[in-house]
Amino acid sequence: MRAAASLVALPLLAGATLPSTPNLGKAEGRCRTQETGPAFLVEVQGLKDRAGNLKLEVYPATDEDFLEDDNILIAAGKTFRRVEVPVPKSGPASLCIRLPGPGTYGVSLLHDRDGNHKFGWRVDGIGFAGNPRLGWSKPKAANASARAGAAPTRITIVMNYRRGLSMRPIAKED
């Protein structure tokens, strides 16, 4: 029964990403050299491979606004920030994203393996602040949020990829 419920919810996750404008929020999200203001310093763990790009986005930490279309958020004067970088060919993967001020924000990270600027559940990986266990629908904002202080705040996001009928981290080899 649980697998059947997951299959029914699958279209919800696939449709959760609305068309966006790829450059919205990038100027506001770009960290300065030696950033000292409110920002998330994100360490990425569990990458499947080194293909494509990493797209980090910050949203208001409400269920209504979390993962909402960037055009809608910006038009409403709500927080939206984006940073997109190529996956480093080796070594640790980390990103910095500036915030409008201290507070709690919803945070998503897409491993856009095919470089098409949107989430494809069959190909791409996804992770969230707080590293919630994923089903086939978007997590609650409270489970995918982090609190930022007045200076850069370190968080770790573990990537999840489709494995069978679920989205989960890649098992570590011992």
Side-chain angles (χ1 to χ4, degrees):
M1 185 69 179
R2 179 167 274 174
S6 292
L7 290 175
V8 170
L10 181 61
L12 294 176
L13 185 59
T17 55
L18 298 171
S20 70
T21 306
N23 290 324
L24 281 180
K26 284 186 176 180
E28 298 85 354
R30 189 174 304 117
C31 286
R32 299 168 290 211
T33 303
Q34 304 298 317
E35 182 65 54
T36 60
F40 285 127
L41 301 175
V42 180
E43 177 188 340
V44 182
Q45 292 184 349
L47 287 169
K48 185 173 189 172
D49 55 36
R50 298 298 179 133
N53 296 311
L54 294 172
K55 181 168 64 171
L56 180 64
E57 295 179 334
V58 171
Y59 299 85
T62 65
D63 287 333
E64 176 184 55
D65 294 328
F66 183 55
L67 300 179
E68 178 61 88
D69 179 72
D70 48 5
N71 295 289
I72 292 170
L73 291 171
I74 289 173
K78 296 182 179 181
T79 297
F80 178 78
R81 302 287 191 272
R82 175 184 289 140
V83 170
E84 190 170 10
V85 298
V87 176
K89 297 299 178 197
S90 63
S94 59
L95 296 95
C96 179
I97 191 163
R98 289 180 68 197
L99 303 170
T104 302
Y105 299 92
V107 182
S108 73
L109 178 61
L110 170 66
H111 180 191
D112 185 12
R113 295 176 64 227
D114 57 8
N116 68 355
H117 301 285
K118 59 185 177 179
F119 176 66
W121 65 273
R122 294 177 189 213
V123 176
D124 298 326
I126 191 119
F128 300 95
N131 298 305
R133 186 172 180 192
L134 299 181
W136 286 110
S137 59
K138 76 178 188 176
K140 296 281 186 191
N143 297 331
S145 296
R147 177 137 185 85
T153 302
R154 293 186 181 280
I155 63 173
T156 299
I157 296 180
V158 177
M159 299 307 301
N160 295 270
Y161 298 88
R162 183 177 76 99
R163 295 184 54 211
L165 294 176
S166 67
M167 292 291 286
R168 61 182 190 248
I170 296 171
K172 290 185 178 182
E173 306 257 340
D174 292 320

